[in-house]
């Protein structure tokens, strides 16, 4: 079938994930002190070895074992898991690299916050939870032992129970003061911006607007 994932393709993608994920693993092991960092950090760092070994187990055993219908049905999930490992290895490496070179707890947290912000607010525990979800979905004997599959499921529950490592900060508000003449058009982020030939048009929420006494206020 067109687009069907092949055994060789899965082996290649898993192989591509090994080196970058190992770099992320080594960066996490370089951290000796997690003080000042959220609880998610030592938990995620402690389980990266587990993910790394799962990648290698899938790649090595897939290359050695005879193809079966059961393993063939897992080619697409395994390929997706491997691709996610490749895509997220850089983020994980950056997170650990950015916090390992300081002993200041406040600075560690600030560096983590900055790294997460560059990744659209992605939290370290969210990455780990998604990796584990994909791993559990892809794992199948004999490529992954039944014992390891059960461990993956237990670790997935542990990570899912973690408190968020970063709080979602509320967006700021806008204050508008207009005491003169002329037209004023402002959009606060929600609602429609319609054609207006003059006067005032203010749409969206989360703002405070002040006008001179002879002006009208219009919100949408």
């Amino acid at each position: 079938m067109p687009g069907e994932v092949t055994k060789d393709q899965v082996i290649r993608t898993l192989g591509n994930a090994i080196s970058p994920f190992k770099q992320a693993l080594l960066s996490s092991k370089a951290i000796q002190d997690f003080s000042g960092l959220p609880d998610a950090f030592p938990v995620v760092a402690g389980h990266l070895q587990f993910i790394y070994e799962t990648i290698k187990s899938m790649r090595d055993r897939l290359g050695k074992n005879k193809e079966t219908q059961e393993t063939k049905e897992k080619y697409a999930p395994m390929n997706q898991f491997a691709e996610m490992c490749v895509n997220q290895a850089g983020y994980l490496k950056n997170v650990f690299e950015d916090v390992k070179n300081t002993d200041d707890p406040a600075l560690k947290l600030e560096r983590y916050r900055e790294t997460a912000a560059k990744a659209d607010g992605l939290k370290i525990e969210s990455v780990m939870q998604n990796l584990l979800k994909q791993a559990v979905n892809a794992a199948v004997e004999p490529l992954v032992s039944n014992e390891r599959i059960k461990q993956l499921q237990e670790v997935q529950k542990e990570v899912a129970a973690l408190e968020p490592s970063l709080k979602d900060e509320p967006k700021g508000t806008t204050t508008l003061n207009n005491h003169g003449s002329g037209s004023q058009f402002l959009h606060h982020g929600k609602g429609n911006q319609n054609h207006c030939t003059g006067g005032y048009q203010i749409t969206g929420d989360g703002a405070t607007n002040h006008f001179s006494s002879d002006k009208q206020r219009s919100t949408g």
Side-chain angles (χ1 to χ4, degrees):
M1 293 177 60
E4 184 177 0
V5 179
T6 65
K7 178 178 179 178
D8 288 342
Q9 181 181 349
V10 178
I11 293 174
R12 184 167 56 251
T13 311
L14 286 166
N16 291 339
I18 290 176
S19 180
F21 209 86
K22 184 177 181 179
Q23 294 302 313
L25 173 62
L26 293 174
S27 295
S28 72
K29 288 185 174 181
I31 300 180
Q32 302 298 320
D33 183 10
F34 288 98
S35 60
L37 292 169
D39 292 341
F41 265 79
V43 173
V44 171
H47 293 313
L48 286 183
Q49 178 75 37
F50 195 50
I51 295 291
Y52 177 67
E53 291 174 355
T54 301
I55 299 170
K56 291 192 66 179
S57 176
M58 287 181 176
R59 195 278 306 270
D60 295 343
R61 296 187 181 186
L62 187 59
K64 296 176 182 177
N65 284 270
K66 182 179 179 180
E67 186 177 62
T68 66
Q69 184 60 35
E70 188 175 14
T71 58
K72 189 175 181 180
E73 290 173 356
K74 290 291 186 175
Y75 285 172
M78 278 190 283
N79 204 58
Q80 291 172 1
F81 167 61
E83 288 178 340
M84 179 174 286
C85 288
V86 172
N87 293 334
Q88 299 299 341
Y91 168 83
L92 292 169
K93 180 178 182 293
N94 289 340
V95 166
F96 290 115
E97 288 285 343
D98 288 345
V99 303
K100 77 176 184 180
N101 294 322
T102 178
D103 295 326
D104 185 342
L107 185 55
K108 288 179 185 178
L109 183 59
E110 182 59 28
R111 286 182 176 178
Y112 168 48
R113 193 183 304 277
E114 291 173 355
T115 304
K118 293 176 184 177
D120 295 327
L122 187 62
K123 301 178 182 69
I124 192 172
E125 72 276 9
S126 299
V127 171
M128 189 64 172
Q129 191 169 354
N130 287 333
L131 287 171
L132 288 164
K133 180 180 179 180
Q134 291 287 343
V136 169
N137 188 42
V140 60
E141 289 190 294
L143 308 182
V144 181
S145 69
N146 188 54
E147 180 182 0
R148 184 176 292 274
I149 292 174
K150 290 180 180 179
Q151 289 174 328
L152 284 167
Q153 293 169 340
E154 290 301 315
V155 172
Q156 185 180 17
K157 293 177 183 178
E158 180 184 359
V159 174
L162 288 169
E163 292 290 329
S165 58
L166 291 173
K167 294 182 179 180
D168 294 326
E169 297 182 356
K171 296 181 179 179
T173 59
T174 301
T175 299
L176 170 66
N177 296 280
N178 188 307
H179 302 290
S181 61
S183 299
Q184 183 95 43
F185 307 120
L186 178 65
H187 196 288
H188 289 305
K190 293 182 179 180
N192 299 318
Q193 184 79 50
N194 302 312
H195 177 69
C196 183
T197 58
Y200 295 83
Q201 180 183 159
I202 298 177
T203 60
D205 53 15
T208 302
N209 308 298
H210 301 286
F211 301 87
S212 57
S213 58
D214 62 335
K215 307 297 181 183
Q216 289 186 340
R217 178 184 177 188
S218 174
T219 61

